[in-house]
Amino acid sequence: SKDDYKFAKDMYKELNCLNFHEYASFYLKLDVLLLCDIYLNFRDLCINNYKLSPDNYLTLPGLSNDTCLKMYT
């Protein structure tokens, strides 16, 4: 849409991008940093509430299973 194009154009100028690669790299870094922040908050929540770290599990179902066992045993 026109609003999306205007937003992208404004961001392109604000970030002083010389080409589309720099613009795409910025958004990739932003996505990674946001994902990292969300994961760290989730990890802190699991450690504080269940004394389990998601870092020790390959899948979320494994963490969920141990959480249930810890809560009800």
Side-chain angles (χ1 to χ4, degrees):
S1 73
K2 289 183 181 182
D3 291 335
D4 291 336
Y5 178 74
K6 183 182 180 320
F7 176 76
K9 191 173 162 185
D10 291 342
M11 288 302 296
Y12 204 90
K13 285 182 184 178
E14 185 70 30
L15 297 170
N16 296 320
C17 295
L18 299 176
N19 53 41
F20 185 75
H21 180 264
E22 290 179 0
Y23 183 73
S25 292
F26 169 77
Y27 271 95
L28 180 61
K29 289 175 190 173
L30 182 63
D31 285 345
V32 169
L33 291 172
L34 288 171
L35 181 60
C36 183
D37 188 44
I38 291 167
Y39 180 75
L40 290 175
N41 286 330
F42 173 69
R43 188 184 71 168
D44 289 343
L45 181 131
C46 289
I47 290 171
N48 292 335
N49 290 335
Y50 309 113
K51 308 296 186 257
L52 296 171
S53 175
D55 297 337
N56 298 325
Y57 296 89
L58 292 176
T59 63
L60 192 55
L63 174 64
S64 297
N65 186 45
D66 283 357
T67 301
C68 288
L69 290 173
K70 191 169 184 107
M71 289 173 55
Y72 296 110
T73 56

